[in-house]
Amino acid sequence: MTDYNNEEVVKTQSKVNDTEAQSSDTESTTYVINTLVNEDHEHEIKLRTMTWQRAAWLLAGDQVCLAIMAQSWSLSVLGWVPGIITMVLSGILFYITSLTMHKFIMKHPQIKDICDFGYYAFGKSKIAYEFTAIMLLLNNIMLIGFHILTGAKVINTLSDHSMCTVIFSVIATIMGIVLSLPRTLNHVSFMSMFSAACMGIAILLFLIFAGTEDHPGYGYNGIYPKAGPVHTYAFPPEGTTWVAAMNAVLNITFLWVPQILFPTFIAEMERPQDFPKALAVLAGISGFLFIVPPAIGFRYLGQYATAPAFGSLSSIVHKKASFAFVIVPTIIIGTIYSNVSAKFVYGRIMGKSRHAHSNTVLGWGVWVAVTAAIWFIGFIFAEVIPSMGDFLSLLGAAFDSFFGFIFFAFAYWQMYRGNLFSSFTRSVKTVTHLFIMLCGLFLLGPGLYAAVEAIKDDYSGAVKPAFSCANVAI
């Protein structure tokens, strides 16, 4: 088991704090970061090697994902006005909370992952550390399971269901294990470049096909034109339930909340101070891709929008041509979540032994075993859960409420308690973080209720059997 903090670094930081009369907080943080980087670079396996440009690619590879193609469906449920407002507000809060996270980590540069972040944000609570660890593993492994299922869905679509879906899931799992073998995120960031590029091509092809086709193929209300001519609307259509609307909101917020990975990303940067540069690049990319393509998709698909929107295309050839590129981001994003999860488990197993950061047979053997176990558990989730989509809504409500909102409201309070209203600017930021806390509690309360109700509706009908060979093609 690892320590809850790096004791040597804390001692170093204490010495530095004793001389704060002669040096600023920034100089103190820089000194500690340099100490951590120098210590890391003495190891055979060097983790703290990412530049901010590589970090930007890693962020983009994680965020430019299939979930973008589910946003047209969210707009079809919420309508233009509530949908766009939710998207823009989620983006603004994402950027604010991410900056708060970075600022907090700069005050505690020994933080290695979200578990360490929870430990410090909640007043050095060991309970918070362990609770966060459980949420980290559940969240990441279930997301890996979703990506395994998505991989099987892609192969099913391309092959016209030529084999049992379980076999396709096994193929996706094996691909994920192989690509997850690199130990450093610097190597994974190189793969992320191809991931983001392939997802971008898939989105572009979808937009071209949606705009050139005479009409959509089908939607959740039936094959075109059963639900009438394609049309869009400003507000939720009549008959929209609270559960449907709340799940559409969760679908949007889920896309905007990847901060569970950010502390690990920052911990592997050579200059963590530069993370805001990578974040700015991500914010620009996300602000465009999370709003513009879904809006265009809703314009052409209207009430026939499905999640993912590829399923609404009327031409089988168009579906396959655009959906084929999704296999790359599907596996590589699963690889990113696997890397972060495996690092946490591996650290708890290996502790501070030489195997933790050296090219030893034991070290690599444990790393491969942990990685394979994580993907295997994800495979089990993918096969036994009847509707991974609804369970992701459950994750969004239960976990994103903490990792996207509540954690950072607490971190802000830890940093500025005692002078929360010391100036006008500070007061505005305090009120903003209070609103962030309320958003997190809203997702945790009504949001969690809506997600549970959706899962109950799934179980009330025909439930997909475990390890089913059924065709899951779009």
Side-chain angles (χ1 to χ4, degrees), residues 236-382:
E238 186 177 350
T240 302
T241 65
W242 163 260
V243 171
M246 196 64 221
N247 276 310
V249 169
L250 288 172
N251 192 48
I252 294 171
T253 57
F254 174 80
L255 179 62
W256 278 102
V257 180
Q259 289 103 319
I260 190 172
L261 305 175
F262 285 8
T264 306
F265 292 177
I266 294 171
E268 294 202 25
M269 292 181 67
E270 195 163 21
R271 281 185 49 83
Q273 305 94 312
D274 291 340
F275 180 75
K277 297 178 183 178
L279 183 65
V281 173
L282 175 65
I285 293 172
S286 300
F288 177 81
L289 290 179
F290 291 4
I291 298 175
V292 176
I296 296 173
F298 181 46
R299 160 66 179 80
Y300 286 106
L301 303 177
Q303 73 275 28
Y304 291 93
T306 59
F310 300 109
S312 296
L313 295 175
S314 59
S315 167
I316 298 297
V317 174
H318 289 170
K319 281 184 184 180
K320 291 184 177 182
S322 53
F323 200 41
F325 286 93
V326 176
I327 190 67
V328 177
T330 294
I331 302 301
I332 291 179
I333 292 172
T335 296
I336 296 173
Y337 280 95
S338 171
N339 185 283
V340 172
S341 305
K343 274 198 173 76
F344 172 76
V345 176
Y346 184 82
R348 294 291 292 260
I349 295 173
M350 306 305 290
K352 294 184 178 180
S353 70
R354 67 184 183 88
H355 304 288
H357 46 71
S358 300
N359 289 311
T360 64
V361 173
L362 178 61
W364 276 101
V366 172
W367 175 260
V368 172
V370 169
T371 298
I374 286 172
W375 278 91
F376 176 74
I377 297 171
F379 167 79
I380 299 298
F381 276 133

Side-chain angles (χ1 to χ4, degrees), residues 104 108 111 114-132 135 401-403 405-415 417 437:
F104 187 80
H108 305 278
I111 288 176
I114 193 67
C115 305
D116 284 345
F117 188 94
Y119 170 72
Y120 286 103
F122 290 89
K124 296 185 178 181
S125 167
K126 295 182 179 181
I127 294 176
Y129 181 93
E130 300 296 348
F131 178 66
T132 306
M135 291 198 295
S401 55
F402 285 97
F403 296 134
F405 301 91
I406 295 173
F407 267 43
F408 311 117
F410 267 93
Y412 178 86
W413 179 78
Q414 286 284 3
M415 287 190 290
R417 56 181 178 174
M437 172 64 82

Side-chain angles (χ1 to χ4, degrees), residues 66 145-170 172 218 220 306-308 310-311 319 323 327 330 381-389 463-474:
L66 181 62
F146 177 75
H147 284 87
I148 290 171
L149 187 61
T150 302
K153 191 185 292 283
V154 174
I155 303 173
N156 257 298
T157 302
L158 298 179
S159 68
D160 296 319
H161 188 51
S162 61
M163 298 176 70
C164 174
T165 296
V166 176
I167 296 176
F168 292 142
S169 296
V170 170
Y218 69 92
Y220 295 126
T306 59
F310 300 109
K319 281 184 184 180
F323 200 41
I327 190 67
T330 294
F381 276 133
E383 296 305 312
V384 302
I385 294 177
S387 175
M388 283 297 290
V463 177
K464 184 193 80 171
F467 298 93
S468 172
C469 281
N471 187 3
V472 295
I474 59 173

